Each structure stands twice: as C-alpha cells, then as structure tokens.
C-alpha cells in the first residue's frame, strides 16, 4: 500500500493555539477600542447550581478575558 493511502495524524499543541487565539483577540480588541473609545469588553456567565468544576471553569474564562482587555 503506498504511503499516500495511509491515514495521517497531526498533533496539535493546545497551549500554543490558545496563545495564538488570545494574541489575535487582544489585537482585535485594541483596534476596536481605537475606533470606539468607550467600548469595554465584558464576559457574562450565568451559573445554575454550585458545582465546583463549573465555578473553576468560569474563573478560568474570566481570567482569560482579563488578559485580552
């Protein structure tokens, strides 16, 4: 069987991709703020219940959003 018929896999580095996405988003937010000086990005989360894993997830998303501002 030729090599081209073999399935291939690509290993993704989630940390690198996350950093790229945050960097791009930071640039986009900064550009938007230049055109709209009163703009303040916000994150709103509605949590039903008090699951600790959900609370952790929301805290991590909040932290990530603060890095973008």
């Amino acid at each position: 069987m030729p090599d081209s018929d073999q399935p291939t896999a690509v290993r993704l580095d989630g940390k690198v991709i996350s950093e790229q996405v945050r960097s791009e988003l930071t640039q986009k937010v900064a550009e938007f703020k230049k055109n709209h000086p009163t703009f303040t990005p916000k994150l709103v989360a509605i949590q039903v219940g008090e699951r600790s894993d959900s609370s952790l997830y929301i805290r991590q998303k909040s932290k990530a959003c603060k890095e973008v501002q």
Side-chain angles (χ1 to χ4, degrees):
M1 188 181 276
D3 288 337
S4 63
D5 291 340
Q6 294 293 325
T8 59
V10 176
R11 181 175 287 197
L12 300 176
D13 188 339
K15 186 169 185 157
V16 171
I17 293 171
S18 174
E19 289 171 0
Q20 290 172 344
V21 168
R22 287 184 188 178
S23 176
E24 290 174 18
L25 190 55
T26 298
Q27 292 173 359
K28 288 180 181 182
V29 168
E31 176 120 359
F32 194 84
K33 282 181 166 184
K34 284 181 188 175
N35 296 328
H36 307 280
T38 60
F39 172 74
T40 303
K42 294 178 178 55
L43 171 69
V44 177
I46 299 172
Q47 182 176 355
V48 178
E50 295 183 19
R51 287 183 48 177
S52 61
D53 57 339
S54 295
S55 298
L56 175 63
Y57 179 82
I58 292 170
R59 280 194 308 273
Q60 292 301 99
K61 293 302 158 188
S62 179
K63 179 181 173 186
C65 289
K66 288 177 184 175
E67 293 174 7
V68 171
Q69 294 182 1

